[in-house]
Amino acid sequence: MAYLTWWRLNLAATLLRDTADPLAAVARRVGYGTPYALLHAFSREFGTTPGRYRAGAVTGAVTGAVAGTSGADAARR
């Protein structure tokens, strides 16, 4: 189950970075019932909210999150 969660959140990060889709649409595409559920899981995995992640991606400040270098991912290794 941890792999599925990791995969969904990394797909969400990619969609947030590469599309202008609203959070609700991203949440639905990756299998979360509500944007709030995605927000909670995303924050737990990456240590930032989806909105801040997207803002950082626009300015080029986001690095490594999709590559699996989040704190939670490192703890699983």
Side-chain angles (χ1 to χ4, degrees), residues 3-35:
Y3 174 76
L4 178 59
T5 300
W6 174 86
W7 185 87
R8 290 165 65 189
L9 291 172
N10 278 281
L11 178 57
T14 300
L15 292 171
L16 289 167
R17 188 184 65 235
D18 296 343
T19 72
D21 294 346
L23 185 59
V26 172
R28 281 190 307 272
R29 279 186 71 179
V30 299
Y32 283 91
T34 67

Side-chain angles (χ1 to χ4, degrees), residues 16-76:
L16 289 167
R17 188 184 65 235
D18 296 343
T19 72
D21 294 346
L23 185 59
V26 172
R28 281 190 307 272
R29 279 186 71 179
V30 299
Y32 283 91
T34 67
Y36 306 107
L38 174 59
L39 183 140
H40 180 71
F42 194 94
S43 296
R44 185 178 59 241
E45 180 71 21
F46 295 113
T48 190
T49 65
R52 287 186 179 163
Y53 178 87
R54 177 175 271 167
V58 169
T59 63
V62 173
T63 59
V66 176
T69 58
S70 72
D73 187 48
R76 283 194 292 266

